[in-house]
Amino acid sequence: MSIKVGNVEAKAGKLERGELRVGSMADGSPIELPVFIACGRKDGPIVWLEGCIHGEEYGGAASIIQFMRNLDLSTLSGTIIGIPVANPASFNFRSRVSSIDGQNLNRIFPGDLAGSHSVQLAAVIGEHLEKHADFLIDLHSGGIGAEVPFYVIYKDDGTQNATRSKDLAKRVGVETIWRVPEAQGMGGTVTAEALRHNIPSVTVECGGGTFTQKHLDDYLVSINGFLQATGNLSGNAPVRDGYTIISGGSFIHNREGGLFVPECKVGDILPKGRMIGRLINLHGETVEEIPNPYEDSYIAALRCNYFPTHAGEICAEAIPVEAREGL
């Protein structure tokens, strides 16, 4: 079966690029996803590599562009479909949600071609995943106003594909793995959609705010490790001596507005009650303290230092440690 996404068709030994049209603006200008397709001369699986499903998380887009343009096709088995920006209406306004319908694309899969723009877009992406992909790697960050550590997420719906997803998560170069329990066939994220189509998948989180060389290096480690684990690239995927499994937890919202001042770092594991951060007013007075609500919680996200924060926004994410285990 030929591999074609939009106007881009896979050709053995070639890197092809183009667009997938997913709608149009009121003035008739097209809404398009940028598409890379890299195809090796040897047989292998098809990996869907995706960024910017949340438009402000642009580190994923930068990393996919760098990876695809520098890929040595002579080392590639199978095919990589690279989508640097999966959500143009979100990306163009540097927003987590769509500028057209206000929807969070990563909460509404499987979508519906009769729905609003984002719901239609989810259906189009899901259709291509089902048609082409054997594996999915989805790249995220903290966005413009927050920072996240380098870690990986997999969905656990109790299936063999979830087990395979966990195995892949242990081979992207990080020691912290977020296990997200999910009922089989449920969930509105792109990784839940992948599992519905029997496609093992992981989400890589890294950085936010200012995109640094370290963030780029970490993303590239994860992409290369994933592709080594799937058999698309030669070499041994990186593994760690041990893994910290986190699960549960929640976003933490503030009740008072002000400037957010972190009292810890992303990736810290804090005891219950330890201060995560505080809000100060414009006279420098502390108006709210934010304690960690769980025992032994991994700080998976923090608002950036002194970032202006309205009441009720997300100022942190804390996830309890569930287990520690080996490969």
Side-chain angles (χ1 to χ4, degrees):
M1 182 180 69
S2 65
I3 302 169
K4 187 174 183 181
V5 179
N7 62 8
V8 191
E9 188 166 3
K11 297 177 182 177
K14 300 287 186 181
L15 173 64
E16 301 292 330
R17 66 200 80 179
E19 293 79 35
L20 169 62
R21 189 180 186 277
V22 294
S24 60
M25 302 297 288
D27 64 359
S29 56
I31 304 173
E32 298 174 324
L33 310 188
V35 178
F36 291 95
I37 300 182
C39 187
R41 295 190 180 278
K42 295 173 283 189
D43 290 339
I46 303 170
V47 172
W48 184 278
L49 171 60
E50 174 186 284
C52 273
I53 202 166
H54 293 141
E56 64 170 346
E57 299 175 11
Y58 54 88
S63 303
I64 292 169
I65 292 167
Q66 288 282 330
F67 175 81
M68 297 300 289
R69 289 181 63 89
N70 291 297
L71 178 63
D72 181 356
L73 291 168
S74 69
T75 67
L76 177 64
S77 298
T79 303
I80 304 167
I81 300 171
I83 312 291
V85 175
N87 191 351
S90 171
F91 175 78
N92 283 330
F93 286 85
R94 297 185 291 274
S95 172
R96 183 176 176 84
V97 299
S98 171
S99 62
I100 296 176
D101 60 7
Q103 294 270 18
N104 181 341
L105 177 58
N106 207 35
R107 298 294 183 272
I108 56 176
F109 284 88
D112 187 336
L113 291 176
S116 68
H117 168 70
S118 298
V119 180
Q120 293 178 30
L121 177 55
V124 171
I125 292 172
E127 175 188 349
H128 283 280
L129 282 173
E130 181 181 19
K131 185 176 182 180
H132 297 301
D134 297 310
F135 298 97
L136 163 72
I137 176 170
D138 180 36
L139 305 185
H140 287 250
S141 79
I144 291 172
E147 188 82 13
V148 300
F150 182 30
Y151 70 100
V152 62
I153 306 169
Y154 81 98
K155 297 288 174 62
D156 186 358
D157 64 356
T159 64
Q160 288 185 338
N161 287 309
T163 300
R164 179 66 170 126
S165 297
K166 182 179 183 180
D167 180 65
L168 291 167
K170 289 185 173 182
R171 287 163 169 80
V172 297
V174 295
E175 66 178 20
T176 303
I177 300 172
W178 185 1
R179 183 184 73 87
V180 178
E182 197 156 90
Q184 188 172 347
M186 303 298 289
T189 63
V190 69
T191 49
E193 177 71 0
L195 285 181
R196 279 192 285 273
H197 298 301
N198 299 314
I199 302 166
S201 62
V202 303
T203 294
V204 172
E205 294 274 3
C206 180
T210 301
F211 184 60
T212 68
Q213 183 64 45
K214 179 64 165 61
H215 297 149
L216 175 61
D217 293 343
D218 287 341
Y219 275 123
L220 294 178
V221 164
S222 69
I223 295 169
N224 277 285
F226 188 88
L227 292 167
Q228 288 169 330
T230 58
N232 293 86
L233 294 181
S234 60
N236 296 318
V239 295
R240 307 301 291 262
D241 292 336
Y243 295 90
T244 300
I245 310 300
I246 59 177
S247 190
S250 64
F251 289 127
I252 298 172
H253 300 84
N254 54 303
R255 295 183 62 98
E256 298 292 336
L259 303 178
F260 180 76
V261 182
E263 297 291 343
C264 64
K265 296 182 293 185
V266 291
D268 283 352
I269 295 177
L270 302 182
K272 185 176 182 178
R274 179 70 62 83
M275 205 58 57
I276 291 175
R278 58 194 173 94
L279 278 299
I280 64 170
N281 64 21
L282 299 186
H283 296 289
E285 300 161 332
T286 297
V287 295
E288 184 180 4
E289 294 183 334
I290 309 291
N292 173 35
Y294 309 110
E295 286 292 351
D296 293 329
S297 295
Y298 181 79
I299 303 304
L302 274 178
R303 278 274 185 178
C304 291
N305 195 25
Y306 288 95
F307 198 86
T309 304
H310 303 300
E313 294 198 283
I314 297 169
C315 59
E317 187 171 21
I319 307 169
V321 173
E322 180 178 78
R324 290 182 169 85
E325 62 186 47
L327 186 62

